[in-house]
Amino acid sequence: MHRLWDLLAPARLGPGFRRLVLTFWTANLADGVMIAAGPLLLASLTSDPFLIALGAAAPRAAWVVLGLYAGVVADRVDRRLLMLVTNVARLVVVTVLVVALATDRVGVTWVLVSLLLLGAAECFSDTAGATLMPMLVAKRDLGIANARVMVGAMTINQLAGPPIGAALFVAGAVWPVAAQAVLLALVVLQLARLELPTLERDPGRRSVARDVADGVRWLAGNAPVRTLALAILCFNVTFGATWAVLVVYAGDRLGLGELGFGLLTACAAVGGVIGALSYGALERRFALGSMMRVGLLVETATHGVLALTTWPAVAMAVLVAFGVQASVWGTTSTTVRQRAVPAAVQGRVTSVYLLGMQAGLVAGALLGGALAQLGGVRATLWFGCAGSALILALIWRQLPRIAHAGE
């Protein structure tokens, strides 16, 4: 057991890294349970694919309004304390939803409002959390550190969480939400014990607008990171469109039930685990630009294969492959950003980066739901395939330069 723990969280990265990893993994399990349970809850209340897709967009909509401000706050205050406060807020919202479900007083509007509030809290928590790894780990170790975080995220968030969430939902809609409340309480306890090095901050009083402008200006002036942010924005539109209607796709095209939807998301997680565990070897053997190119080719093909097939086995296999690329791409892009961005503006630059990412997912979810209403889920999947192919063609030559932006 000790050797397994050392493999997942190498001791050489330090005790702070290990505690941070545990915090992230616990939060990932809380979110993973709701990956399956959230859409299933909405699907049990309405058959409208647009409302179901709106549920996928609601948690991310807060980023459009609050994302840039969250970055300013992350650079101005104690980042650990910011995460602690926002996770307490998440716990309160989830607890209220548990009570509403237990007393049978919940409707579509109630669920959507809860998801919106959770998204607002997560906006601040995730922005702060994304800046912590460079505070604890040396630049040379960021790749392996992020890969280890990804191992846990994929295993817990995508592999364990969705089947658990779906199984708990079958037992009763209240149970996955109650489980999320318990896990968020554990996150709060872990954050209370986390210790971070002191970060020097500018003591002068500055306007929020000026701080935001500094973050935007830095990102706009760094061509590789800027292109990476724009690429992720666009790819998240195509990905968000497909993922928002996956629960409908699982039922209408594949004939899978509630547990089957959880199984689809788990297949992507299996691939994610493979990709994360293999990242160190891949990083040593292949150029990062080549890894990014192959990954985006796989993502583009995923949409097309899903649009063509009605066989569950084929859909599951392609989602495993997608999970591998998502894990490798996610680790690489995060590491590139963390290496390239100075600590003093990590929060603001990260918030601009994450705002674009979340805005892409929101736009994709809404567009995917609308396309599914007009032409069925295949229309959404073909949109994802064509859009991804176009974006990849535009950035193909720039990917090697992007991959090494932080060196």
Side-chain angles (χ1 to χ4, degrees):
M1 183 62 70
H2 177 75
R3 293 183 63 184
L4 177 61
W5 175 231
D6 194 57
L7 174 66
L8 294 175
R12 66 184 176 84
L13 300 184
F17 165 77
R18 287 185 159 188
R19 188 170 296 282
L20 183 61
V21 162
L22 283 176
T23 303
F24 285 158
W25 289 354
T26 306
N28 281 325
L29 181 56
D31 294 338
V33 167
M34 294 305 293
I35 285 176
L40 290 172
L41 176 57
L42 280 171
S44 71
L45 297 171
T46 178
S47 59
D48 188 333
F50 182 76
L51 288 177
I52 294 172
L54 188 61
R60 311 183 195 283
W63 286 87
V64 177
V65 178
L66 298 172
L68 296 178
Y69 180 62
V72 172
V73 175
D75 283 340
R76 286 185 176 186
V77 305
D78 184 321
R79 291 167 178 170
R80 182 195 66 86
L81 181 59
L82 178 59
M83 291 185 67
L84 182 62
V85 171
T86 51
N87 277 280
V88 169
R90 292 176 66 195
L91 178 58
V92 171
V93 172
V94 171
T95 301
V96 171
L97 185 57
V98 168
V99 174
L101 285 167
T103 56
D104 198 24
R105 296 181 179 180
V106 70
V108 173
T109 301
W110 192 300
V111 174
L112 291 176
V113 169
S114 296
L115 291 172
L116 183 63
L117 292 174
L118 288 172
E122 289 170 9
C123 174
F124 288 89
S125 180
D126 290 355
T127 299
T131 69
L132 299 187
M133 195 63 73
M135 297 175 66
L136 295 170
V137 177
K139 281 189 175 184
R140 66 180 182 277
D141 292 324
L142 281 173
I144 193 66
N146 286 315
R148 291 300 181 262
V149 172
M150 190 67 74
V151 169
M154 288 295 181
T155 304
I156 297 170
N157 184 274
Q158 300 290 334
L159 182 58
I164 291 173
L168 289 173
F169 184 85
V170 171
V174 69
W175 293 113
V177 185
Q180 188 185 34
V182 172
L183 291 166
L184 286 174
L186 292 175
V187 169
V188 170
L189 291 175
Q190 289 167 345
L191 285 170
R193 300 177 60 191
L194 180 66
E195 295 183 3
L196 294 174
T198 301
L199 180 65
E200 293 185 7
R201 296 182 174 87
D202 184 355
R205 297 181 63 84
R206 295 159 56 92
S207 69
V208 171
R210 184 175 176 183
D211 275 354
V212 169
D214 284 347
V216 174
R217 190 179 300 111
W218 191 96
L219 184 59
N222 188 291
V225 180
R226 180 184 68 234
T227 304
L228 178 63
L230 291 172
I232 290 177
L233 164 64
C234 296
F235 269 98
N236 276 6
V237 172
T238 55
F239 166 75
T242 292
W243 208 257
V245 298
L246 191 65
V247 64
V248 180
Y249 171 80
D252 292 355
R253 291 282 294 170
L254 302 182
L256 298 174
E258 294 172 339
L259 289 176
F261 168 64
L263 185 59
L264 282 182
T265 59
C267 286
V270 170
V273 173
I274 295 170
L277 289 175
S278 305
Y279 188 82
L282 291 173
E283 190 179 33
R284 291 189 297 270
R285 186 170 181 179
F286 300 104
L288 292 181
S290 298
M291 289 164 55
M292 296 176 81
R293 283 173 169 173
V294 171
L296 294 181
L297 283 171
V298 171
E299 179 165 344
T300 301
T302 296
H303 300 285
V305 175
L306 291 179
L308 291 170
T309 190
T310 57
W311 293 358
V314 174
M316 291 176 188
V318 76
L319 284 173
V320 170
F322 171 78
V324 173
Q325 85 81 23
S327 180
V328 173
W329 169 270
T331 299
T332 302
S333 61
T334 299
T335 301
V336 166
R337 187 185 75 247
Q338 290 176 345
R339 285 173 176 166
V341 181
V345 294
Q346 275 275 354
R348 282 163 285 173
V349 174
T350 297
S351 70
V352 178
Y353 184 98
L354 295 181
L355 172 61
M357 184 177 72
Q358 297 293 344
L361 292 173
V362 171
L366 296 176
L367 185 56
L371 288 172
Q373 269 190 329
L374 294 173
V377 293
R378 290 189 74 196
T380 301
L381 296 171
W382 281 123
F383 161 76
C385 182
S388 297
L390 176 61
I391 301 160
L392 180 55
L394 292 173
I395 66 170
W396 181 266
R397 296 181 62 182
Q398 300 180 57
L399 285 171
R401 185 163 58 94
I402 292 172
H404 297 281
E407 297 179 6

